[in-house]
Amino acid sequence: MLDKNGIAKRIAREVRDGWYVNLGIGIPTLVANHIPDGMEVEFQSENGILGMGPFPIDGEEDADLINAGKQTITAMPGAVYFDSATSFAMIRGRHVQLTVLGAMEVSTSGDIANWKIPGKMVKGMGGAMDLVASAENIVVAMMHTNRAGASKLLPACTLPLTGVGCVKRVVTNLAVLDIKDGAFHLVERAPGVSVEEIVAATAGELVVPDVVPEMEI
Amino acid sequence: MAISKVVNSVEEACAGVSSGMTLMLGGFGLCGIPENCIEELVRLGINDLTCISNNAGVDNFGLGRLLQNRQIVKMISSYVGENEEFERQMLSGELEVDLIPQGSLAERCRAGGAGIPAFFTPAGYGTEVAEGKEVRDFDGKPHILESALTSDFAFVKAWKGDTAGNLIFKATARNFNPMMAMAGKITVAEVEELVPVGELDPGQIHTPGIFVQRIFQGEKYEKRIEQRTVRNA
């Protein structure tokens, strides 16, 4: 089974040389730590930076330089700052090649819910609806089950949706799954996790091939 | 000769703001918010405000100060996660909240300032956000019609500005400020440093002074950090 860093490490393998990548808050942020040396990748944060660098050294943090999670960051050489309209022009205009974000629920039709639990929690969608409506590659990073142990991979989302029919790949602590033809398709198992465990933790229809390789991370 | 937009104080900058108005406030989280104007709005004690701002501050800073005083009746935002008082007022029904996708919020402000009454976007199709909105397919993909936003006053914060109202923002403190500056009927810009005309390079100005009606140098900036994250040297 993977921890959050393991999920991020596996997702980093989805990134290709020359890509602009938007990383959401939480597990997705960790993906930046696992990009191979020498690979030319720029991270976009929708509050208005392309070329986001690591957290600053203690004492060098700047209140005017943050990411979409409101964390203090640094800028890489060649970085650029822009306003929110320009930022979402990059996103909606499909100039960003990969979006990685978290989710509360994902369905077999590629729907995603991650912004609201009616009556309990309303944080807002932030940029998530714009991101999922336009991105060509959306990878969801999440735990396979919620805190109560219930599957987050469902036949249909029960929570208010963030986007419809947009998620193509999910990486969890247990597995890599693709979404196509109205079902989850098991692609890889996390180290030490059996196919049976994944089947048991997946509520939506799951297609299991004869051979399910273990992730290389 | 350049048209001066200078006012001498935050009081003068906020003159004419009254209860029941719709206000835009720049910033993302606590980054790039008009701190001095918000404090003045608190002091004025006006209420029934509709505030358009990406976030709602934190409990005791930024727009959270106006929320604490119950001066806001409606918020139009995209993300409000860091404010317990906001969440309490929203869930209890005291505060009306219109949550809209961040990119749509930015574009709706831009459209409002640019003379575009509405536009189609794919963001929010198939979700609560699309309820009651016209849907039209373009290139086989459904989009929803979003309308422009304008406001009685827009309050923005820049790093440097000149007396003609030309503005330069610092790093990611730019965010929503340029679009809101365009969309306000009266736009008030507060800056960390106010310089004479001619000192800013015309090619490096982010917001042209034509969008700004009043400008002043803020008395002080706390610039609070919401999430201080650092690494080891």
Side-chain angles (χ1 to χ4, degrees):
Chain A
M1 193 182 300
L2 301 176
D3 60 8
K4 288 180 177 181
N5 248 307
I7 295 172
K9 203 170 171 185
R10 174 60 189 82
I11 291 173
R13 288 185 43 223
E14 304 286 314
V15 179
R16 299 287 172 268
D17 203 53
W19 275 11
Y20 295 102
V21 178
N22 180 289
L23 301 177
I25 297 165
I27 300 172
T29 305
L30 303 171
V31 172
N33 301 334
H34 301 288
I35 301 298
D37 287 343
M39 188 183 270
E40 293 183 354
V41 172
E42 284 196 40
F43 293 107
Q44 200 253 20
S45 200
E46 62 269 24
N47 59 312
I49 178 173
L50 195 56
M52 179 170 47
F55 295 148
I57 290 165
D58 196 357
E60 293 185 2
E61 56 282 21
D62 178 353
D64 290 326
L65 183 48
I66 63 169
N67 63 16
K70 286 116 185 168
Q71 297 171 311
T72 47
I73 53 163
T74 55
M76 300 294 284
V80 58
Y81 307 120
F82 35 81
D83 64 56
S84 302
T86 305
S87 181
F88 283 92
M90 294 175 190
I91 289 165
R92 268 190 256 94
R94 297 195 158 195
H95 306 283
V96 173
Q97 279 77 31
L98 174 67
T99 288
V100 183
L101 77 173
M104 297 175 191
E105 295 177 345
V106 172
S107 82
T108 49
S109 52
D111 297 350
I112 175 173
N114 72 353
W115 71 283
K116 182 179 185 181
I117 302 173
K120 279 189 189 166
M121 184 284 288
V122 188
K123 290 189 182 299
M125 66 293 281
M129 285 192 184
D130 308 272
L131 282 157
V132 301
S134 301
E136 289 182 59
N137 291 302
I138 300 171
V139 175
V140 166
M142 66 176 194
M143 305 307 275
H144 212 97
T145 53
N146 65 21
R147 287 197 186 116
S151 180
K152 294 169 73 173
L153 293 111
L154 306 172
C157 293
T158 63
L159 296 170
L161 296 177
T162 306
V164 293
C166 51
V167 179
K168 297 192 178 69
R169 177 158 277 203
V170 183
V171 179
T172 75
N173 52 324
L174 303 182
V176 177
L177 309 101
D178 281 346
I179 299 175
K180 57 184 176 188
D181 307 326
F184 296 113
H185 294 251
L186 186 53
V187 178
E188 295 173 11
R189 301 174 286 116
V193 174
S194 69
V195 168
E196 291 70 27
E197 284 174 80
I198 297 163
V199 169
T202 307
E205 185 187 344
L206 178 65
V207 177
V208 182
D210 293 340
V211 180
V212 182
E214 191 170 284
M215 282 178 209
E216 290 173 31
I217 58 167
Chain B
M1 189 177 167
I3 302 165
S4 176
K5 306 294 173 66
V6 176
V7 292
N8 293 312
S9 64
V10 68
E11 291 84 1
E12 203 180 320
C14 295
V17 184
S18 59
S19 295
M21 279 188 168
T22 296
L23 312 179
M24 285 182 179
L25 298 108
F28 181 94
L30 302 179
C31 182
I33 60 172
E35 294 183 23
N36 290 274
C37 287
I38 290 171
E39 279 310 305
E40 177 62 11
L41 295 173
V42 171
R43 196 190 68 78
L44 285 171
I46 51 173
N47 49 37
D48 294 327
L49 299 172
T50 294
C51 291
I52 303 171
S53 175
N54 188 58
N55 311 89
V58 294
D59 280 322
N60 57 3
F61 196 61
L63 279 183
R65 299 264 295 129
L66 289 168
L67 283 166
Q68 274 177 336
N69 284 355
R70 309 280 210 288
Q71 290 175 263
I72 303 175
V73 286
K74 183 177 180 182
M75 282 293 309
I76 299 175
S77 304
S78 88
Y79 189 85
V80 293
E82 267 66 59
N83 193 316
E84 281 178 32
E85 177 61 16
F86 182 102
E87 199 154 355
R88 191 197 65 71
Q89 288 185 22
M90 175 167 58
L91 292 174
S92 70
E94 290 167 59
L95 179 69
E96 188 186 343
V97 179
D98 193 1
L99 286 168
I100 55 184
Q102 194 177 328
S104 297
L105 178 61
E107 195 65 16
R108 288 176 73 180
C109 294
R110 201 198 74 81
I116 307 282
F119 58 90
F120 282 96
T121 176
Y125 170 75
T127 76
E128 284 180 12
V129 166
E131 285 170 14
K133 290 174 185 163
E134 184 183 337
V135 176
R136 200 183 295 181
D137 282 8
F138 294 93
D139 292 328
K141 194 177 162 175
H143 293 71
I144 63 173
L145 185 65
E146 292 281 12
S147 58
L149 289 169
T150 55
S151 66
D152 297 304
F153 276 80
F155 296 98
V156 302
K157 189 262 166 177
W159 177 42
K160 284 186 183 181
D162 68 17
T163 54
N166 297 308
L167 306 177
I168 293 177
F169 303 93
K170 196 176 155 214
T172 56
R174 193 180 321 182
N175 54 64
F176 284 84
N177 284 298
M179 284 77 63
M180 290 184 172
M182 292 167 70
K185 289 191 190 85
I186 297 175
T187 291
V188 176
E190 58 171 86
V191 297
E192 289 179 55
E193 191 184 347
L194 184 63
V195 302
V197 284
E199 280 205 13
L200 302 179
D201 178 346
Q204 302 296 323
I205 288 165
H206 299 132
T207 289
I210 192 170
F211 296 121
V212 175
Q213 280 66 49
R214 301 174 187 176
I215 190 167
F216 71 102
Q217 185 171 306
E219 197 169 292
K220 66 178 174 72
Y221 286 97
E222 179 179 338
K223 293 217 225 177
R224 197 183 292 188
I225 292 175
E226 211 163 323
Q227 305 276 345
R228 186 179 299 275
T229 44
V230 295
R231 70 190 144 104
N232 295 324

